[in-house]
Amino acid sequence: MRQRVVIALALCAEPRLIIADEPTTALDVSVQAQIIALLKRVCRERNAAVILVTHDMGVIAETADRVAVMYAGRLAEIGPVAQVLQKPSHPYTAGLMGSIPRIGPRPDRLIQIEGSMPRLTDIPSGCAFNPRCPKVFANCHHIRPELRQIADGAAACLLYEGVTQ
Amino acid sequence: MKGLKKHFAMTKPFLNRLLDKEEPQSVKAVDGLDLDIPRGQTLSLVGESGCGKSTVARLIMGLSTPSGGSILFDGTDISRAPAGNPAAVRQRMQMIFQDPYASLNPRWRVRDIIAEPLRTYGLSGSREEERREVDRLLEFVGLNAKDGDKFPHEFSGGQRQRISIARAISTKPEFLVCDEPTSALDVSVQAQILNLMREMQRELGLTYLFISHDLAVVNFMSDWIGVMYLGRLVEVAPAAELFSNPQHPYTRLLLDTIPDLGMSKRDRTPAAGEVPNPISPPPGCHFNPRCALANDRCRSEAPALRAYPNGGRVSCHAVEEARGAVVIPAGVGHSMQTAP
């Protein structure tokens, strides 16, 4: 109910862009579904754009058209929701997707990304993800990758630079 | 240990009823719960906020006293015993809390936090022995023995939860109550903690009561799942059975509302309504105002848990009468299968 009030507040000036920062994180799944449905309906009806900030992949899958994955202050990958979630290009996105528990047969282990986020005052040189990356190679330690077009999206990863050794 | 048995009902009196001169009100936070947790397995409790999951955890650990019923741990009734008593039983059960920021004393070194249960129960011998044990525990949960001299603020959320786990297993417990241990964590960190908990269960033969509102996490962790609604158990079943063949309309609603990673941009069926006020729950089945299958019986008579051939127990008149075959009216928009 409180989140509905907040949505009403956000809408009262007829905005063209709504920034929703973790709008459903504190909510139960059943209420979360209501809020997401409300947000989607409102955007359709008023033709507003939404930046949805969340770490809940399920909400992204149902709500977003495009997803941008951030790591240590930079974009790691961006693209249409189906491409990023189902065929992730960046090893970080792939790790994130793998670490989500799913409904279905019960595995013995979840895929996990080893280590933890670097402190933002101490970001590794080269690709910030290199200490945790399963596909790391020499160049990753000194070249900072830029976003490169992949299908309908883009990823910042040296695997796609053609400089693999 | 043949299995843990708990059966308790409780009503919580409101503090300020004296001041307000009102009739005594009560919240039936946990309203007559029957549960067994077999040794070495995991039973999860799921349900929306306020359904009484955490209260169950607190009752088991002796952090609050039940108003009725009993809690049996390996045959010993501990329902009236305060936390920490009797020591011989309580040291065999420990708890991992939801918030890794609030559950560690910020002024204590990690070494002292982890050693506290050992000291409380008089399990540590010499200082040297205690030190070695804490080092071993730190390494067991994937931290460095040197981390013992640091303070909690020097660690990330996931590392703090590892410290909580090290503390919880320091007395070599057999039973762990885990109250939303990963809800404050990111998915990547959550995967690390859940993997650690499963490994611990395999290596140490632990029994878990796992509390969560995330059904995918529960699917990964559980052998058994209990679904709670407003203080009552509406369905208990083997985990695979509950996901493949949910019986209670509330369980189906919960499963329906899980965000689906595979079906992009599906319009989820939003669950109509919210959980009613627990002080004045609706008569009969608490779920009846939100249930598409409700009839007059549901509005007057509270259903009891009945055992079904699939190994589960369900409290629902509609399931009992096989009323589930009804096609749900438009707006809810999907049909349900017939109950066995």
Side-chain angles (χ1 to χ4, degrees), chain A residues 1 28 30 32-34 40 57-58 61-62 64-65 86 99 101-104 106-110 112-113 115, chain B residues 48-49 190-192 195 198-199 216 219-223 243 259-262 264-268 271 273-274:
Chain A
M1 276 303 161
D28 289 314
S30 60
Q32 175 186 311
Q34 296 173 4
K40 279 163 82 172
M57 295 290 182
E62 306 194 311
D65 299 298
Q86 272 146 32
S99 64
R102 291 162 197 257
I103 305 296
R106 185 184 171 200
D108 275 339
R109 246 187 109 69
L110 295 167
Q112 65 179 53
I113 308 174
Chain B
E48 288 163 281
S49 317
Q190 169 175 278
Q192 295 175 351
N195 281 337
R198 285 280 300 269
E199 270 162 35
N219 176 52
F220 177 66
M221 289 301 295
S222 325
D223 300 292
F243 281 106
D260 187 344
L261 291 170
S264 233
K265 307 215 73 190
R266 166 183 67 129
D267 270 317
R268 247 193 287 172
E274 293 198 18

Side-chain angles (χ1 to χ4, degrees), chain A residues 64-84:
Chain A
D65 299 298
R66 296 206 309 147
V67 201
V69 181
M70 288 187 73
Y71 188 80
R74 303 182 97 223
L75 280 184
E77 180 164 2
I78 185 165
V81 67
Q83 181 184 328
V84 174

Side-chain angles (χ1 to χ4, degrees), chain B residues 108-174:
Chain B
W108 283 22
R109 291 187 193 277
V110 166
R111 180 171 302 288
D112 296 320
I113 290 174
I114 294 175
E116 191 190 11
L118 292 172
R119 294 172 190 165
T120 306
Y121 290 114
L123 297 174
S124 52
S126 62
R127 284 199 74 81
E128 190 45 42
E129 263 176 55
E130 181 190 291
R131 198 174 178 88
R132 256 183 284 130
E133 180 60 12
V134 171
D135 289 351
R136 189 188 68 80
L137 287 164
L138 280 167
E139 277 166 14
F140 184 80
V141 297
L143 294 170
N144 195 307
K146 279 183 293 187
D147 291 336
D149 296 319
K150 296 185 184 164
F151 287 95
H153 72 262
E154 298 174 65
F155 296 92
S156 68
Q159 290 171 320
R160 284 179 205 220
Q161 207 56 302
R162 287 176 193 269
I163 296 169
S164 299
I165 292 173
R167 173 177 62 182
I169 60 172
S170 64
T171 62
K172 302 200 168 58
E174 294 149 50

